[in-house]
Amino acid sequence: IFIAGSTHRGEEEIVLEVFKRLKEGCADLTLILAPRHPERFSEVAHLIARYQLSCVRKTELTGQEKVPQPDVILLDTIGELSKLYSIGTVIFVGGSLVPSGGHNVLETVAHRKAVLFGPHMDNFMEIANCLTENGGGIRVDGSETFFLKAKALLDNEAVRNHLGEKAFEIISRNQGTTRKAME
């Protein structure tokens, strides 16, 4: 499962291109795509259709029906993304390939997951730098590096697990830093 969470306009195209390339080597790969803003759910659904990928909205899944596995599950709900990170194989945190300030990567790290993010992590620069400098997170600068790094993670469970554990260790070690500084 490839999860792209909290994506912004301009990122979904990159995510969908990377996903299509990854799917060529992994036919059973599913993308869970979670746009950051609910008012964009329909826009993103149309974009997925333009990429000729099958899609089902999360709100359409009841769990009772037998449906073919879609290429993409569009997460069109609020408050579920953090839990879904626990089932991801490859995780990208959005708002970071475009200058939107990035989003918090701690939700993925809490699940001991390796995390990919773009260069625009302005609002979370300290966490992003700490993860990349200490081998717990992967910064990607565009679609080609995104594809190569995601493929490497998809192809190697040991590397995924190591990065996820390393990220968790880094964040755990730095937990309570503000309290310690105040004391």
Side-chain angles (χ1 to χ4, degrees), residues 60-120:
E60 296 171 346
L61 296 174
T62 65
Q64 302 301 316
E65 70 280 345
K66 296 287 183 196
V67 295
Q69 179 178 331
D71 295 317
V72 181
I73 297 172
L74 178 60
L75 188 61
D76 61 346
T77 59
I78 304 296
E80 293 187 272
L81 181 58
S82 181
K83 286 185 222 171
L84 287 174
Y85 282 143
S86 70
I87 64 169
T89 308
V90 174
I91 299 173
F92 167 74
V93 175
S96 60
L97 284 173
V98 296
S100 295
H103 290 288
N104 196 340
V105 296
L106 294 180
E107 291 174 330
T108 64
V109 173
H111 293 292
R112 291 178 158 84
K113 297 294 182 172
V115 61
L116 298 144
F117 48 85
H120 301 285

Side-chain angles (χ1 to χ4, degrees), residues 12 15 17 38 106 159 168 170:
E12 287 93 5
V15 167
E17 286 173 23
L106 294 180
V159 169
F168 186 79
I170 292 163

Side-chain angles (χ1 to χ4, degrees), residues 14-182:
I14 297 168
V15 167
L16 291 168
E17 286 173 23
V18 168
F19 172 69
K20 283 187 86 161
R21 289 179 67 190
L22 290 172
K23 195 157 176 73
E24 290 172 9
C26 184
D28 62 344
L29 186 65
T30 299
L31 171 63
I32 297 176
L33 182 55
R36 174 68 174 167
H37 299 106
E39 63 272 13
R40 296 192 58 244
F41 292 156
S42 291
E43 172 189 337
V44 174
H46 287 32
L47 183 62
I48 294 166
R50 281 202 336 248
Y51 276 81
Q52 300 178 333
L53 294 165
S54 62
C55 176
V56 64
R57 290 175 181 239
K58 167 48 171 84
T59 53
E60 296 171 346
L61 296 174
T62 65
Q64 302 301 316
E65 70 280 345
K66 296 287 183 196
V67 295
Q69 179 178 331
D71 295 317
V72 181
I73 297 172
L74 178 60
L75 188 61
D76 61 346
T77 59
I78 304 296
E80 293 187 272
L81 181 58
S82 181
K83 286 185 222 171
L84 287 174
Y85 282 143
S86 70
I87 64 169
T89 308
V90 174
I91 299 173
F92 167 74
V93 175
S96 60
L97 284 173
V98 296
S100 295
H103 290 288
N104 196 340
V105 296
L106 294 180
E107 291 174 330
T108 64
V109 173
H111 293 292
R112 291 178 158 84
K113 297 294 182 172
V115 61
L116 298 144
F117 48 85
H120 301 285
M121 290 290 288
D122 304 344
N123 297 337
F124 301 92
M125 192 58 72
E126 189 173 341
I127 295 168
N129 286 341
C130 186
L131 288 174
T132 55
E133 289 167 6
N134 294 288
I138 301 171
R139 187 181 329 258
V140 297
D141 294 322
S143 61
E144 189 58 27
T145 27
F146 189 172
F147 168 73
L148 293 172
K149 298 294 184 178
K151 183 167 181 2
L153 289 176
L154 192 61
D155 290 347
N156 194 324
E157 182 179 5
V159 169
R160 279 194 318 270
N161 291 339
H162 176 74
L163 282 167
E165 288 298 327
K166 187 72 173 169
F168 186 79
E169 174 190 310
I170 292 163
I171 297 306
S172 295
R173 189 173 55 234
N174 290 296
Q175 196 171 25
T177 303
T178 303
R179 181 185 46 77
K180 290 174 191 171
M182 293 300 290

